Amino acid sequence: MFTTFLRIIKFAGQSFARNIWLSVINITILVLTLLTINFLIIFNLLTTGAVDIIKDKVDVSVYFKENVADEQIQEVQSKILDSLYIDDVQYISPEQALKDFKAKHESDQDILQAVTELEREKEAVFLPSIRIKAQNISLYGDILKELKESQYSNLFEIDEAQFRDYATITEKINTISNRVEMVGYIVSLIFLIIAFMMVYNTIKVAIYTHQEEISIMKLVGATNNFIKSPFIVEIIFYNIIALLIVVILFYLSMSFVQPMLNKLFAGYSVSVLDYYNSKFLLIFLGQFIFTVLFSVSTSLMAMKKYLKI
Amino acid sequence: MINLSNVSKFYKPNVWALNKVSLNINPGEFVSIVGQSGTGKSTLAKILFAEEAPTEGKVEIGGWDITNIGLSEIPYLRRQIGFVFQDFRLLKRKNIYENISFAMETCGIDSEQINKVVPQILKIVGLQNKVDRYPHQLSGGEQQRTAIARALVHQPKLLIADEPTGNLDSINSREIIDLLLRINKLNTTIILVTHNRDVVNNLNKRVVTLDDGKIISDQKNGRYIL
């Protein structure tokens, strides 16, 4: 059994070497297919990361009018918290708002000077507010509607400008990412079709170049599986080599790309490298199994047509 | 050993290559199947080798009914039958030793056994001093002897030679027939398919004559009668 296995490997290796250029082209196509699939994974990871970051920044602020009492503010806050759509509600006192504003504009002396003037004249610079975060970005529309229709709506004003800006950006990112994903799927499909044709024709050529051996094998009583197996093993060789090349290319390119991504997503955990490291087996073994199943099925189809045994 | 009863083979559109052929060959016999071209000799050989299935009738080899043999069983039948062709069918890129060992390798025989058997077979066919030669470096007779050596690797009980002297001159033909006779003496049944009158007449063995797909003569110590 082991002897037979070794001989199948040997014959597959001989066939690989005999049609070396065909082997190189096959491996190249498989590499391109796998690279496209990985590009899609990485792109999806980055757009999801970017959208999550934006979603994290989205909120709606409710500014209470000057004469609203603290008890009323607390009542509104507790009512809002009761809503099913709300993730978090944060009360921001006028003092806290002033502090945050100063920190944000610490380098702009003109603004700071104006604020100081207002403080000196004992005028209220900021009003109390609450910042509302929804469980999901799509729920902000309902929250805004609820707030506008509530019995307390005369007590506050809603600042939804920030939410509108971020919602627009998120929508744009989603649109672009959907388009790029669609292009990626089409490119993957094209490469899969090319891979199918390449593998199919490789088997056809391999059967043709091995015609003599095959006829002798049949003559001397080699089993059908023994005759077919080297072709299958040769295709598996292609897949192993293609996967190794893709893994090497991935880690090489990531050594340049990941530092750039770290700068781009500073302060957020969007790491392609960490993602691949944590799911290395799942990603690459999954891709290997997929391409092996795909190319072996293609080989079997070609053998059924051209290998008469 | 071999039992054919009412075997016919039809090819489209309207050719009966064999027509109700019944034949019995005993173990250890040397039988020449003769006839003009297109009389069904090779078809008969192909049916015995399970390369073709009969349209009608029953074929038994060593008690094994191979009339409707399954695809997966054919390799195991062929390991019990040696087959030699007119065109030798040797692998050009392999030397004599490799050509013979290849036949054993593809059937899963271990290297130790191959290294033991191949030199013995090369000795039987008289090529023990030419193991490293490639087919193009051999005469036609030597190439045919290599093909016979390859057919013997599984120590078959039956050896079918389809026009083995067809591409050879008379001296080489004589050598090949002598080799087949020696193999026959080792109790291997030989079926020689030929239309070479001299070869058949010199053998003085059983001769089955086919004409138009039918057996027209079956002589114990026969001659070429057509």
Side-chain angles (χ1 to χ4, degrees):
Chain A
M1 190 69 186
F2 185 64
T3 308
T4 305
F5 176 72
L6 286 181
R7 285 191 189 133
I8 288 169
I9 302 275
K10 180 182 142 189
F11 291 158
Q14 284 172 347
S15 176
F16 183 97
R18 197 182 289 178
N19 300 309
I20 187 69
W21 285 110
L22 205 57
S23 305
V24 169
I25 294 167
N26 266 299
I27 291 166
T28 309
I29 296 294
L30 284 170
V31 165
L32 289 173
T33 310
L34 288 175
L35 283 178
T36 318
I37 291 169
N38 282 291
F39 168 76
L40 278 178
I41 294 173
I42 294 168
F43 182 77
N44 197 34
L45 196 68
L46 294 180
T47 49
T48 308
V51 169
D52 283 348
I53 288 169
I54 290 168
K55 280 177 183 170
D56 188 53
K57 288 184 173 178
V58 175
D59 55 34
V60 167
S61 290
V62 168
Y63 294 95
F64 290 93
K65 289 175 181 168
E66 224 169 322
N67 50 358
V68 179
D70 284 353
E71 295 75 29
Q72 283 176 300
I73 293 173
Q74 279 169 14
E75 197 182 333
V76 172
Q77 191 175 348
S78 69
K79 284 283 174 194
I80 292 170
L81 265 173
D82 286 345
S83 168
L84 287 172
Y85 310 130
I86 303 298
D87 185 41
D88 186 38
V89 174
Q90 191 188 356
Y91 172 72
I92 297 161
S93 64
E95 295 75 28
Q96 183 63 44
L98 181 64
K99 202 176 158 188
D100 291 346
F101 186 83
K102 280 181 175 176
K104 197 177 170 185
H105 297 95
E106 61 182 350
S107 56
D108 194 333
Q109 285 306 316
D110 290 342
I111 290 177
L112 290 179
Q113 183 68 39
V115 170
T116 312
E117 283 297 321
L118 287 170
E119 278 182 297
R120 201 177 293 142
E121 288 168 22
K122 304 267 187 222
E123 276 195 41
V125 184
F126 289 98
L127 295 167
S129 65
I130 52 177
R131 192 175 290 158
I132 302 164
K133 285 194 91 64
Q135 288 170 355
N136 187 312
I137 195 162
S138 63
L139 299 173
Y140 280 106
D142 294 323
I143 292 170
L144 288 169
K145 195 178 168 208
E146 224 175 69
L147 285 171
K148 283 171 189 170
E149 289 172 359
S150 82
Q151 55 175 313
Y152 306 105
S153 59
N154 59 325
L155 301 178
F156 52 74
E157 279 173 9
I158 302 165
D159 175 13
E160 55 185 273
Q162 197 193 23
F163 157 70
R164 295 280 176 225
D165 290 347
Y166 283 130
T168 310
I169 294 169
T170 311
E171 203 177 304
K172 276 183 185 167
I173 289 178
N174 281 334
T175 310
I176 293 167
S177 108
N178 286 342
R179 279 182 193 160
V180 174
E181 266 183 34
M182 183 58 74
V183 171
Y185 287 130
I186 292 168
V187 173
S188 303
L189 189 68
I190 290 169
F191 279 129
L192 276 177
I193 292 168
I194 296 172
F196 172 84
M197 290 192 293
M198 282 305 302
V199 170
Y200 192 87
N201 282 300
T202 300
I203 294 295
K204 190 176 158 184
V205 171
I207 289 169
Y208 179 75
T209 54
H210 290 81
Q211 241 171 2
E212 274 189 327
E213 279 102 327
I214 292 168
S215 78
I216 300 301
M217 284 186 196
K218 282 156 64 181
L219 178 73
V220 297
T223 59
N224 296 346
N225 284 339
F226 186 89
I227 296 172
K228 284 179 183 174
S229 298
F231 296 112
I232 303 287
V233 172
E234 189 181 345
I235 294 298
I236 294 173
F237 280 171
Y238 295 162
N239 282 279
I240 292 171
I241 295 169
L243 185 78
L244 286 175
I245 291 171
V246 167
V247 170
I248 291 167
L249 283 178
F250 170 77
Y251 280 101
L252 269 179
S253 58
M254 271 302 129
S255 65
F256 296 105
V257 175
Q258 190 57 54
M260 288 188 243
L261 291 176
N262 289 344
K263 277 183 192 168
L264 192 68
F265 293 101
Y268 291 92
S269 58
V270 181
S271 172
V272 175
L273 206 53
D274 286 349
Y275 181 80
Y276 267 73
N277 284 342
S278 65
K279 292 183 163 50
F280 184 90
L281 270 183
L282 183 74
I283 293 172
F284 289 116
L285 191 66
Q287 288 174 24
F288 179 69
I289 290 169
F290 169 73
T291 52
V292 164
L293 285 177
F294 171 79
S295 46
V296 167
S297 325
T298 308
S299 312
L300 290 173
M301 282 169 70
M303 276 192 270
K304 197 175 175 189
K305 181 153 187 196
Y306 296 105
L307 188 61
K308 304 294 178 204
I309 48 178
Chain B
M1 178 78 198
I2 297 171
N3 194 11
L4 281 81
S5 57
N6 290 318
V7 171
S8 299
K9 179 68 188 177
F10 178 76
Y11 289 112
K12 286 177 183 174
N14 55 0
V15 177
W16 284 96
L18 291 175
N19 196 349
K20 296 199 183 301
V21 169
S22 292
L23 182 66
N24 191 50
I25 296 171
N26 294 317
E29 266 197 283
F30 191 120
V31 181
S32 300
I33 311 274
V34 303
Q36 305 285 6
S37 293
T39 51
K41 305 186 299 290
S42 292
T43 303
L44 181 62
K46 282 178 184 172
I47 285 174
L48 291 175
F49 200 58
E51 206 174 318
E52 298 268 7
T55 311
E56 289 170 3
K58 188 176 174 185
V59 183
E60 273 184 75
I61 296 179
W64 185 358
D65 186 347
I66 63 155
T67 315
N68 296 307
I69 190 168
L71 272 177
S72 59
E73 290 176 297
I74 291 174
Y76 302 99
L77 170 75
R78 289 181 180 168
R79 288 180 197 183
Q80 294 174 42
I81 303 173
F83 208 105
V84 179
F85 299 91
Q86 180 177 349
D87 57 359
F88 321 130
R89 299 199 190 175
L90 299 175
L91 297 171
K92 295 176 191 75
R93 296 187 197 199
K94 293 186 188 291
N95 63 30
I96 291 182
Y97 189 95
E98 289 165 343
N99 260 287
I100 297 163
S101 62
F102 178 76
M104 299 178 85
E105 282 179 359
T106 57
C107 294
I109 296 165
D110 63 66
S111 303
E112 201 181 325
Q113 181 75 358
I114 293 172
N115 293 335
K116 191 177 151 196
V117 170
V118 176
Q120 288 173 359
I121 291 174
L122 282 168
K123 205 171 174 184
I124 290 171
V125 299
L127 290 171
Q128 66 273 30
N129 298 322
K130 296 186 176 178
V131 289
D132 296 330
R133 301 262 181 102
Y134 286 83
H136 70 273
Q137 297 171 316
L138 299 172
S139 70
E142 287 169 330
Q143 288 188 56
Q144 193 58 288
R145 279 194 273 159
T146 309
I148 291 171
R150 184 182 60 199
L152 294 176
V153 289
H154 299 307
Q155 296 164 312
K157 289 273 181 272
L158 170 65
L159 178 66
I160 303 170
D162 189 0
E163 302 281 7
T165 59
N167 282 347
L168 304 178
D169 58 28
S170 57
I171 296 170
N172 277 313
S173 295
R174 188 65 245 169
E175 279 180 10
I176 293 302
I177 297 302
D178 285 346
L179 178 57
L180 293 177
L181 284 167
R182 269 189 281 139
I183 293 164
N184 180 237
K185 276 186 185 161
L186 298 171
N187 214 25
T188 303
T189 307
I190 307 280
I191 295 179
L192 172 65
V193 177
T194 184
H195 61 263
N196 188 318
R197 181 181 297 272
D198 294 338
V199 163
V200 175
N201 289 341
N202 288 328
L203 271 170
N204 199 28
K205 296 278 187 183
R206 183 179 170 189
V207 178
V208 174
T209 307
L210 283 174
D211 188 32
D212 204 17
K214 290 178 184 169
I215 294 177
I216 57 163
S217 159
D218 186 351
Q219 302 166 290
K220 198 175 176 192
N221 297 100
R223 292 181 65 80
Y224 198 99
I225 58 166
L226 291 168

